[in-house]
Amino acid sequence: MFLHSVNLWNLAFYVFMVFLATLGLWDVFFGFEENKCSMSYMFEYPEYQKIELPKKLAKRYPAYELYLYGEGSYAEEHKILPLTGIPVLFLPGNAGSYKQVRSIGSIALRKAEDIDFKYHFDFFSVNFNEELVALYGGSLQKQTKFVHECIKTILKLYKGQEFAPKSVAIIGHSMGGLVARALLTLKNFKHDLINLLITQATPHVAPVMPLDRFITDFYTTVNNYWILNARHINLTTLSVAGGFRDYQVRSGLTFLPKLSHHTSALSVVSSAVPKTWVSTDHLSIVWCKQLQLTTVRAFFDLIDADTKQITQNSKKKLSVLSHHFIRHPSKHFEENPAIISDLTGTSMWVPVKVSKWTYVAYNESEKIYFTFPLENHRKIYSHVYCQSTMLDTNSWIFACINSTSMCQQGVDLSWKAELLPTIKFLTLRLQDYPSLSHLVVYVPSVHGSKFVVDCEFFKKETRYIQLPVTHLFSFGLSSRKVVLNTNGLYYNLELLNFGQIYQAFKINVVSKCSAVKEEITSIYKLHIPWSYEDSLTIAQAPSSTEISLKLHIAQPENDSHVALLKMYTSSDCRYEVTIKTSFSQILGQVVRFHGGALPAYVISNMLLTYRGQLYSLFSTGCCLEYATMLDKEAKPYKVDPFVIIIKFLLGYKWFKELWDVLLLPELDAIILTSQSMCFPLISLILFLFGTCTAYWSGLLSSASVRLLSSLWLALKRPSELPKDIKMISPDLPFLTIVLIIISWTTCGALAILLSYVYYVFKVVHLQASLTTFKNSQPVNPKHSRRSEKKSNHHKDSSVHHLRLSANDAEDSLRMHSTVINLLTWIVFLSMPSLIYWLKNLRYYFKLNPDPCKPLAFILIPTMAVLGNTYTVSIKSSKLLKTASQFPLPLAVGVIAFGSAHLYRVPCFAFIPLLLHALCNFM
């Protein structure tokens, strides 16, 4: 019945939209690199010692606890407090466990053992009872206050020690990182209680799904405080994102706001972190061995030798974090590294005058200094590039100043080098160092190991090559190609016109090598200069390697940098680079950045459909099928132009002042623009996806009602169409009062769900009655029409006792089909608070604060009345025309104010339902 009301072209369109959505979803959930994280294991059995909290505190927060992590002998020794180490507090995120601290805690313990416990860290962890704070924001403030009390409790454990800490370091995973930032907003919180904050996969910018106003209010409070007080916040903060593997929290949300006067914050994607170089999913970021090793190394480099605690020097903290998380020179961190180094001793000095040089070191018995005079090379070349496969932390490249052939002291250029998985390298622009006379490459004496050192001088124009990206709407049908024919070791491909999040490409690098016996490794690094979201691809040559090219952060308007593909190649190979648009990845970016707004567009389509049905009932006296009306009424030109016009007018001061006077909230489109999330035609694309979703959800609900009615008929005796239509049955007021009491005393979403079940039951019962009536009718069509006319005559002659004909029942079911779809999405959007309430039922019987309680008070009686509403009872209503006009502006309002604030969507959806219910009385 439902499919019959849709023509084949529309059905083909809906199937095609499903195909496009599938492509986008596949890219988000599967279109990324495999998990290359190594698992971190405990060397001894992990133990979690519960820290006793003050009785008042434990009573105030019965669901929360504080633990100290330990293993083996360390755990045994520290069961007797006080403690002597450096405190670090781990805060789990949404549904996170306090036991997630074990990975970094165990690695830090092994590191402390390696240095004979000269320094060690005490890792504490908070048990938030695995609360679903990403779904329900009402407990975020409570968690923040509990963490404040935990910090004070932790510091008391060190009381009386010689090097007692005055502050703690915090590691926050997911929403735990946001809770840590919220500490600074508390009235009685002292900022110096935190000396360092590291967040892992924390959505700092905005909530992933703004499902209630408590989450958005919490975000607004925290972010506004950090922006307004940036000059006074001296807390060094590092935010680490997981990259494209983390589909729960996209990396763009994890980047802390960049303020010119606030330089104590760093944001980086794990794929760009030196010695990590992998993308992590939302959970593996807390146990990824490569990342946790980097974090622990940074922690130990942050220790002040005098206080035996984390340094209070903000500049040093930022330097350490930059060294380990941004750019690693393949040397141990030094706060004040020696720039001048002695180059004396029994070493061989070998001059090199060629522009390209390779040296293979194996079982070298003595040290060798290879010197490259720069005077002649300056006349021909602009840059010099050197690389070494020996990845130790010793200095390896120097420069002599005003020397003839050798020098006793040289400038240590190793600090300017950069580490990659298989090489360390240095690139210098010669004109930046006019006083340097020689470049010196140091080869130490080695036994049993082999490494290769390469150097070459080159002109910039031969290695910096421009590669414009293909057009967005080329759909991968066209491509651009660059062939690298020179025997270079290093190339920079400038990816012109690439800087928007809606762009996505596939790069194919084909390497062809001359006959070589040994395996050749090439490294391709995508470098994004306006954000630390670089990614590496390692390939064995000869090969064909595919690289995905897309962004987490769009290029700022005032930024003129160009994205680069840096290629660290072999001189024995030739390379061919091809780029083309990836349509599936573009769809993936649409889903990744805007998928959360889809419910608003689905509701907007349903409201337009609802409007058409109400107006059809008013004008013709009958109600068309849901699918037919969806096809007729759900048009993007009825919604999008109004949103665009409003956004345009808000650019004028007079309209903005009028807007503020009316106390209207900020337009969601403006919020998305401020976050650089505007795709071309994105609202149209989402509207079409919304139309498709509305259609298939309508098909599903219609099939579900028919299936349930069949089960009803199988289990119960056949029902009959109601002889008398009663808007308010005797049990209706009692049921409504009971559900409102449930909403008030427990959870509003629970009462909404129960009301929804009651409404569905009434619709299923009506469907079963209609089926029974149709099956009982004689086959003779004349007799059927005569019976129908008789029924209609009786209906018209009776004013106070309306009877329901089969046609009226079918009309009513068509209307109920749309109402069920709307109610299903309202219930779906209110479910997170119900899930949270059920999970915490043993601690709290009443959900407080409850985001759904105000909605429940209005929606419960509305659903109760609608469950007993038939089209025949509202056809003559004076309110019907008004009710049919309201859904259109509400459909616009859903898009304007609900796409980035999903908790507002039910408020727009229930208004026409309320008017529909009131039509029974007016």
Side-chain angles (χ1 to χ4, degrees):
M1 189 72 179
F2 191 92
L3 287 172
H4 292 165
S5 62
V6 181
N7 64 47
L8 290 178
W9 284 110
N10 288 338
L11 186 60
F13 165 75
Y14 294 135
V15 172
F16 178 66
M17 293 304 296
V18 169
F19 171 72
L20 294 183
T22 303
L23 285 179
L25 290 170
W26 186 93
D27 180 71
V28 171
F29 292 106
F30 304 103
F32 42 70
E33 66 180 62
E34 62 180 7
N35 194 346
K36 297 178 183 177
C37 279
S38 300
M39 177 65 78
S40 51
Y41 295 97
M42 284 73 256
F43 287 81
E44 298 178 89
Y45 189 78
E47 295 187 34
Y48 305 90
Q49 180 184 349
K50 187 177 178 179
I51 303 299
E52 188 175 350
L53 299 173
K55 291 183 179 180
K56 288 184 178 180
L57 187 62
K59 188 176 180 180
R60 196 186 316 160
Y61 305 101
Y64 300 161
E65 296 168 323
L66 177 65
Y67 288 88
L68 171 65
Y69 177 79
E71 295 177 17
S73 58
Y74 170 87
E76 290 296 324
E77 291 173 5
H78 289 81
K79 284 181 179 178
I80 304 174
L81 305 174
L83 304 173
T84 58
I86 304 169
V88 180
L89 179 60
F90 176 80
L91 303 180
N94 176 58
S97 170
Y98 66 95
K99 294 182 179 180
Q100 289 174 311
V101 72
R102 63 183 177 270
S103 295
I104 191 167
S106 182
I107 292 172
L109 186 57
R110 300 284 83 77
K111 177 76 171 176
E113 288 178 349
D114 291 342
I115 59 174
D116 295 326
F117 283 94
K118 179 181 178 182
Y119 309 112
H120 74 274
F121 289 87
D122 300 318
F123 278 84
F124 297 85
S125 184
V126 174
N127 178 17
F128 285 134
N129 190 36
E130 300 184 9
E131 289 184 335
L132 302 170
V133 288
L135 303 181
Y136 169 74
S139 63
L140 286 168
Q141 191 68 19
K142 182 170 61 176
Q143 286 190 1
T144 306
K145 292 179 179 179
F146 180 73
V147 172
H148 183 199
E149 299 297 332
C150 285
I151 293 173
K152 293 189 287 186
T153 301
I154 289 169
L155 294 178
K156 288 178 182 177
L157 299 178
Y158 297 85
K159 195 173 182 180
Q161 298 301 307
E162 182 181 359
F163 298 101
K166 298 179 181 178
S167 57
V168 302
I170 294 181
I171 299 176
H173 173 238
S174 188
M175 295 297 287
L178 187 70
V179 168
R181 287 180 62 215
L183 285 168
L184 276 62
T185 66
L186 298 178
K187 290 182 179 180
N188 300 323
F189 185 80
K190 298 178 181 178
H191 290 196
D192 55 5
L193 288 178
I194 308 176
N195 53 48
L196 177 68
L197 172 59
I198 296 178
T199 66
Q200 299 172 336
T202 296
H204 293 292
V205 177
V208 177
M209 294 290 284
L211 295 171
D212 65 53
R213 64 180 179 85
F214 304 120
I215 295 178
T216 54
D217 289 348
F218 190 81
Y219 265 90
T220 301
T221 300
V222 173
N223 285 332
N224 284 349
Y225 182 89
W226 277 65
I227 292 172
L228 296 174
N229 298 276
R231 294 181 182 274
H232 311 292
I233 296 176
N234 196 31
L235 175 59
T236 303
T237 307
L238 170 69
S239 175
V240 183
F244 288 108
R245 278 194 63 85
D246 188 352
Y247 51 78
Q248 294 186 45
V249 176
R250 63 177 179 84
S251 297
L253 292 176
T254 68
F255 277 65
L256 292 160
K258 291 183 179 180
L259 302 174
S260 58
H261 50 271
H262 182 53
T263 57
S264 296
L266 291 174
S267 301
V268 64
V269 179
S270 60
S271 59
V273 175
K275 296 190 176 183
T276 300
W277 295 306
V278 296
S279 177
T280 65
D281 59 54
H282 196 64
L283 292 179
S284 68
I285 197 169
V286 300
W287 57 256
C288 182
K289 186 176 180 180
Q290 296 96 312
L291 183 59
Q292 300 310 321
L293 282 170
T294 300
T295 306
V296 169
R297 292 188 198 106
F299 268 124
F300 277 88
D301 281 342
L302 285 165
I303 297 173
D304 187 320
D306 295 328
T307 63
K308 298 187 184 298
Q309 296 292 326
I310 289 180
T311 180
Q312 297 298 317
N313 187 331
S314 297
K315 186 177 179 181
K316 179 182 177 180
K317 284 189 280 191
L318 205 60
S319 297
V320 170
L321 295 178
S322 297
H323 177 92
H324 288 283
F325 287 90
I326 305 299
R327 185 179 173 279
H328 199 295
S330 189
K331 288 181 68 65
H332 291 306
F333 175 79
E334 295 180 24
E335 188 174 0
N336 298 302
I339 301 300
I340 304 298
S341 299
D342 292 329
L343 305 181
T344 56
T346 55
S347 304
M348 184 187 301
W349 288 75
V350 178
V352 180
K353 296 184 179 180
V354 294
S355 61
K356 190 170 185 178
W357 169 83
T358 299
Y359 183 79
V360 180
Y362 182 68
N363 283 334
E364 298 294 332
S365 58
E366 58 180 323
K367 305 172 185 176
I368 306 175
Y369 288 106
F370 293 93
T371 62
F372 299 79
L374 300 179
E375 183 178 356
N376 293 330
H377 290 306
R378 291 183 195 277
K379 299 175 183 178
I380 306 173
Y381 305 106
S382 60
H383 290 72
V384 59
Y385 170 86
C386 289
Q387 68 179 31
S388 173
T389 60
M390 188 174 187
L391 304 182
D392 62 354
T393 56
N394 296 317
S395 296
W396 64 284
I397 189 164
F398 307 87
C400 295
I401 300 175
N402 300 324
S403 174
T404 54
S405 60
M406 57 180 291
C407 53
Q408 293 184 345
Q409 289 186 324
V411 178
D412 191 352
L413 297 177
S414 305
W415 291 102
K416 297 183 179 296
E418 188 173 342
L419 179 67
L420 289 176
T422 58
I423 60 171
K424 54 185 178 183
F425 72 93
L426 173 71
T427 305
L428 294 179
R429 191 168 70 163
L430 296 177
Q431 71 179 47
D432 293 340
Y433 302 90
S435 61
L436 302 185
S437 58
H438 290 74
L439 189 69
V440 180
V441 175
Y442 171 60
V443 176
S445 58
V446 293
H447 300 282
S449 61
K450 180 180 179 180
F451 66 95
V452 181
V453 184
D454 298 276
C455 284
E456 66 173 350
F457 292 84
F458 62 87
K459 294 180 181 179
K460 180 180 178 180
E461 56 268 22
T462 62
R463 304 300 173 83
Y464 285 71
I465 302 167
Q466 293 184 343
L467 178 60
V469 299
T470 50
H471 195 271
L472 176 68
F473 296 109
S474 64
F475 301 109
L477 300 176
S478 62
S479 62
R480 290 194 172 99
K481 183 188 294 184
V482 168
V483 179
L484 310 177
N485 284 318
T486 58
N487 301 332
L489 298 170
Y490 170 74
Y491 295 92
N492 253 350
L493 267 61
E494 299 178 351
L495 304 172
L496 302 181
N497 307 318
F498 174 58
Q500 301 301 323
I501 54 176
Y502 54 79
Q503 293 176 297
F505 307 93
K506 285 182 180 178
I507 295 179
N508 190 52
V509 182
V510 178
S511 56
K512 299 177 182 179
C513 308
S514 56
V516 289
K517 296 181 180 179
E518 295 185 355
E519 192 177 64
I520 298 174
T521 301
S522 298
I523 299 176
Y524 313 129
K525 179 180 181 180
L526 175 63
H527 175 62
I528 308 300
W530 55 84
S531 62
Y532 297 117
E533 54 175 288
D534 297 2
S535 58
L536 295 180
T537 302
I538 301 174
Q540 304 300 326
S543 65
S544 176
T545 305
E546 187 174 273
I547 304 170
S548 292
L549 182 61
K550 51 194 174 188
L551 294 171
H552 298 292
I553 298 288
Q555 185 174 16
E557 291 183 4
N558 57 351
D559 194 300
S560 60
H561 291 93
V562 178
L564 302 172
L565 178 64
K566 296 186 174 185
M567 302 178 62
Y568 304 90
T569 57
S570 170
S571 57
D572 296 319
C573 301
R574 303 292 180 272
Y575 296 84
E576 185 179 279
V577 183
T578 306
I579 187 170
K580 61 181 180 179
T581 300
S582 174
F583 182 62
S584 63
Q585 292 189 66
I586 291 174
L587 292 173
Q589 290 291 80
V590 171
V591 173
R592 183 175 287 108
F593 283 85
H594 294 280
L598 183 62
Y601 285 87
V602 175
I603 294 291
S604 181
N605 275 273
M606 289 181 176
L607 286 173
L608 292 174
T609 305
Y610 195 24
R611 171 190 177 274
Q613 286 185 319
L614 289 172
Y615 187 76
S616 172
L617 190 63
F618 166 74
S619 58
T620 66
C622 64
C623 183
L624 297 179
E625 283 280 357
Y626 171 82
T628 304
M629 198 55 71
L630 179 69
D631 175 46
K632 182 179 179 181
E633 293 292 330
K635 306 297 181 184
Y637 61 77
K638 294 183 178 181
V639 174
D640 284 345
F642 292 100
V643 179
I644 295 170
I645 291 170
I646 293 171
K647 183 182 175 182
F648 173 76
L649 290 175
L650 282 170
Y652 292 94
K653 186 178 179 181
W654 64 269
F655 191 81
K656 183 67 171 68
E657 291 176 350
L658 177 63
W659 190 271
D660 293 337
V661 168
L662 295 174
L663 301 178
L664 293 172
E666 189 172 13
L667 201 67
D668 283 358
I670 294 177
I671 296 174
L672 296 178
T673 302
S674 67
Q675 297 176 6
S676 301
M677 284 177 56
C678 282
F679 283 55
L681 306 177
I682 184 58
S683 188
L684 174 62
I685 295 169
L686 288 174
F687 192 93
L688 295 177
F689 277 135
T691 306
C692 174
T693 307
Y695 169 78
W696 291 111
S697 66
L699 178 63
L700 180 62
S701 67
S702 178
S704 299
V705 167
R706 292 178 182 276
L707 177 62
L708 290 173
S709 67
S710 299
L711 290 174
W712 175 267
L713 291 174
L715 297 174
K716 301 267 295 185
R717 65 180 181 177
S719 306
E720 295 181 355
L721 288 174
K723 295 180 179 179
D724 295 320
I725 297 175
K726 296 180 180 180
M727 290 176 290
I728 301 180
S729 57
D731 60 337
L732 195 61
F734 174 75
L735 180 64
T736 303
I737 292 171
V738 169
L739 290 174
I740 289 176
I741 291 173
I742 291 174
S743 172
W744 179 264
T745 57
T746 58
C747 173
L750 174 64
I752 290 174
L753 178 62
L754 294 175
S755 302
Y756 174 75
V757 171
Y758 167 79
Y759 180 82
V760 171
F761 166 76
K762 297 292 289 186
V763 175
V764 169
H765 186 269
L766 178 61
Q767 177 69 58
S769 302
L770 180 61
T771 303
T772 302
F773 177 80
K774 286 184 174 180
N775 292 337
S776 65
Q777 291 299 299
V779 180
N780 188 343
K782 293 183 178 180
H783 181 276
S784 178
R785 283 195 297 269
R786 196 161 49 244
S787 174
E788 187 70 33
K789 287 179 180 178
K790 183 178 180 182
S791 173
N792 288 334
H793 173 75
H794 179 80
K795 175 186 69 176
D796 293 337
S797 63
S798 177
V799 179
H800 300 290
H801 300 284
L802 295 175
R803 294 199 62 179
L804 192 67
S805 68
N807 284 342
D808 291 329
E810 287 184 346
D811 267 1
S812 298
L813 282 172
R814 294 185 190 114
M815 185 66 75
H816 283 307
S817 175
T818 305
V819 173
I820 280 184
N821 281 321
L822 276 171
L823 290 175
T824 300
W825 281 90
I826 292 175
V827 170
F828 172 73
L829 291 173
S830 64
M831 278 301 97
S833 61
L834 175 61
I835 296 170
Y836 177 90
W837 174 76
L838 289 172
K839 194 173 185 302
N840 292 272
L841 192 56
R842 58 176 173 165
Y843 299 107
Y844 312 103
F845 186 72
K846 181 180 180 180
L847 183 63
N848 187 30
D850 188 347
C852 295
K853 188 177 292 183
L855 178 65
F857 286 166
I858 302 175
L859 201 57
I860 289 169
T862 300
M863 280 195 279
V865 172
L866 287 177
N868 291 275
T869 297
Y870 304 93
T871 53
V872 66
S873 64
I874 65 170
K875 285 180 181 179
S876 58
S877 172
K878 297 178 181 179
L879 191 61
L880 183 58
K881 183 178 180 180
T882 304
S884 67
Q885 293 171 343
F886 259 80
L888 178 58
L890 292 172
V892 176
V894 166
I895 304 302
F897 303 109
S899 56
H901 298 82
L902 289 181
Y903 65 90
R904 294 174 181 166
V905 172
C907 301
F908 288 96
F910 91 85
I911 293 174
L913 296 174
L914 177 62
L915 293 173
H916 185 175
L918 290 176
C919 286
N920 288 284
F921 307 101
M922 299 177 67

